[in-house]
Amino acid sequence: MKKKLLSILLILAMVFCFAACGSSNDAPADDQSGDNAEETAINYEAIDDNCESEDGTYQIAMVTDVGQLKDGSFNQFTWNGCKAYASQNDKTYKYYQPANGAQATDEDRIKAMTDACEAGAEVLVTPGFLQETALKEVAPKYPEVQFIFVDGWDLGLDNLVGVNYQEEQAGYLAGYAAVMEGYTKLGFSGGGGGSNPACIRYGYGYAQGANAAAAEKDETVEMRYSWEHGSSFSDSPELTAMLKGWYEAGTEVIFMCGGSMFNSGKDAAEAEEASLIGVDVDQSGLSEAVVTSAMKDLAGSVMLTLGQYYDGGKLLNGAMTLGAADDAVGIPTDTWSMENWSVEDYNALYAKIKSGEIVVDDDSSVADPSTAGLENITFVK
């Protein structure tokens, strides 16, 4: 991620609450060198996941969508933002996991949201598009509670704000970086069956970035692009076999864009000693095959939105779209394994996107970039 993402900009030093909630006061911040040596990143792991309030009520609550809190993705990084803001601002906090884990239903999410509101939530944070039905059911019943729909949209409710991202910008940066690094045979495997707008924007941005870098290098790159086996955002033997076949056919790096689909990409890449690009969060810690990730600053944007609510003293509604102009998307320069493209070059490209000099098409209807006239990419089956 670019050195100055929201989570770094929002604080200069780690501040911990003095109540039982949060981390110990002497917990160190992560050591990250940035463009400004005075900036300090948040050590989220040093902040306690569990807060014991004196009266059993909790001001800031989060309900996971499916799976576990520590999923290495949306749930975990959204929670990082919740507990960091609460810890810094002396708020009580609690997370709720709907029943049935990965098989959680709308009814399970409704029950978890209701429990959170009944336990005194002033703000309820809900990550993931699967929360929509439950939010429509619960939010109108608690009009005094602020609902934050992360990776969501405007549901037309006075007490709900949707926080979404310019995924096309993150995808563009990942595709551009891959080609500048020297990859000439790329792949994209997306979730949602080609109907999920965020995944479409990621993939279309990825293709645009690869095309731009290839044009700059005066070459043509090859790309395999598929929504097959990804409708449920899950890994599967069929998906693993398809991706392994891509690698065997010469594909060098695949952008895995679909939640647990990453596991199939990981298995295929490691078996073939090939490369992966992660999505949403920095997934480099999950496999040495990951060369970089197209990221959203989930924690930072949650902290930003919580701050707007508490500082403004009124309910937020509508939608808020965050991108490079907000330092809310990017790729992680601290952990990438790029050898032929520098952080300085990345920062220069990022600045052009941030300023609007480079505009990435965000058309979420382009599920097939082979129809978009990208002249420096040859799409293959």
Side-chain angles (χ1 to χ4, degrees):
M1 186 182 298
K2 190 174 185 290
K3 299 288 185 176
K4 295 183 179 178
L5 284 173
L6 282 172
S7 56
I8 300 176
L9 289 174
L10 288 170
I11 64 165
L12 297 178
M14 192 66 189
V15 180
F16 300 106
C17 68
F18 297 100
C21 308
S23 61
S24 62
N25 289 339
D26 59 354
D30 287 334
D31 182 16
Q32 277 193 357
S33 58
D35 296 331
N36 186 338
E38 294 180 357
E39 292 173 351
T40 307
I42 301 173
N43 183 358
Y44 296 110
E45 291 304 310
I47 307 173
D48 201 335
D49 286 321
N50 299 295
C51 168
E52 297 181 4
S53 68
E54 293 182 0
D55 62 0
T57 64
Y58 298 89
Q59 295 164 287
I60 297 175
M62 188 193 87
V63 172
T64 62
D65 57 356
V66 294
Q68 300 300 307
L69 180 72
K70 298 292 186 177
D71 62 355
S73 187
F74 253 83
N75 289 331
Q76 182 172 342
F77 283 76
T78 301
W79 180 237
N80 283 347
C82 292
K83 68 179 183 178
Y85 181 88
S87 179
Q88 292 174 25
N89 292 278
D90 200 15
K91 305 288 186 184
T92 54
Y93 57 95
K94 184 176 181 178
Y95 67 87
Y96 295 78
Q97 295 184 149
N100 297 311
Q103 305 303 316
T105 65
D106 288 331
E107 288 71 23
D108 296 327
R109 285 184 281 273
I110 289 169
K111 174 65 164 57
M113 290 183 194
T114 301
D115 289 345
C117 292
E118 291 296 320
E122 298 170 349
V123 185
L124 181 54
V125 181
T126 60
F129 71 95
L130 292 174
Q131 307 275 17
E132 179 183 10
T133 298
L135 285 168
K136 287 179 176 178
E137 174 73 20
V138 177
K141 295 179 180 178
Y142 297 90
E144 75 286 356
V145 176
Q146 174 68 68
F147 289 80
I148 300 175
F149 187 12
V150 180
D151 213 35
W153 47 90
D154 181 4
L155 296 183
L157 301 171
D158 291 338
N159 59 334
L160 182 145
V161 61
V163 180
N164 52 63
Y165 303 87
Q166 292 177 280
E167 292 93 355
E168 71 280 358
Q169 295 178 341
Y172 183 98
L173 291 163
Y176 191 99
V179 173
M180 295 306 290
E181 177 63 12
Y183 294 107
T184 60
K185 295 184 178 182
L186 292 71
F188 171 84
S189 178
S195 62
N196 180 272
C199 290
I200 292 172
R201 289 193 295 270
Y202 264 133
Y204 184 28
Y206 177 66
Q208 290 176 74
N211 185 70
E216 184 173 328
K217 298 177 75 173
D218 194 25
E219 63 184 27
T220 299
V221 298
E222 178 181 291
M223 184 174 290
R224 286 180 166 84
Y225 201 97
S226 176
W227 301 101
E228 194 172 359
H229 307 306
S231 59
S232 66
F233 296 88
S234 301
D235 58 326
S236 66
E238 294 79 11
L239 178 59
T240 303
M242 182 187 82
L243 300 175
K244 192 170 183 292
W246 285 10
Y247 285 128
E248 291 172 347
T251 299
E252 300 162 327
V253 61
I254 299 174
F255 180 16
M256 294 303 304
C257 185
S260 296
M261 292 171 64
F262 175 85
N263 296 323
S264 283
K266 174 179 177 292
D267 291 344
E270 290 178 351
E272 298 299 319
E273 298 183 353
S275 299
L276 283 177
I277 294 173
V279 73
D280 288 335
V281 299
D282 183 359
Q283 295 188 307
S284 61
L286 302 179
S287 174
E288 292 184 359
V290 175
V291 293
T292 193
S293 301
M295 295 172 50
K296 306 170 182 177
D297 186 11
L298 296 169
S301 56
V302 168
M303 294 177 70
L304 174 67
T305 310
L306 287 169
Q308 289 182 350
Y309 166 70
Y310 278 109
D311 293 344
K314 62 180 181 180
L315 292 169
L316 306 175
N317 54 48
M320 180 168 59
T321 301
L322 302 175
D326 312 285
D327 291 319
V329 298
I331 59 178
T333 56
D334 285 340
T335 59
W336 74 9
S337 58
M338 301 289 172
E339 297 179 354
N340 302 317
W341 198 50
S342 70
V343 173
E344 290 74 20
D345 288 338
Y346 167 75
N347 287 338
L349 178 66
Y350 196 96
K352 290 180 180 179
I353 296 175
K354 185 172 182 177
S355 70
E357 181 178 345
I358 293 176
V359 178
V360 187
D361 190 354
D362 64 353
D363 188 345
S364 58
S365 70
V366 185
D368 181 5
S370 69
T371 65
L374 303 176
E375 297 180 351
N376 289 80
I377 299 179
T378 299
F379 290 90
V380 299
K381 299 295 185 182

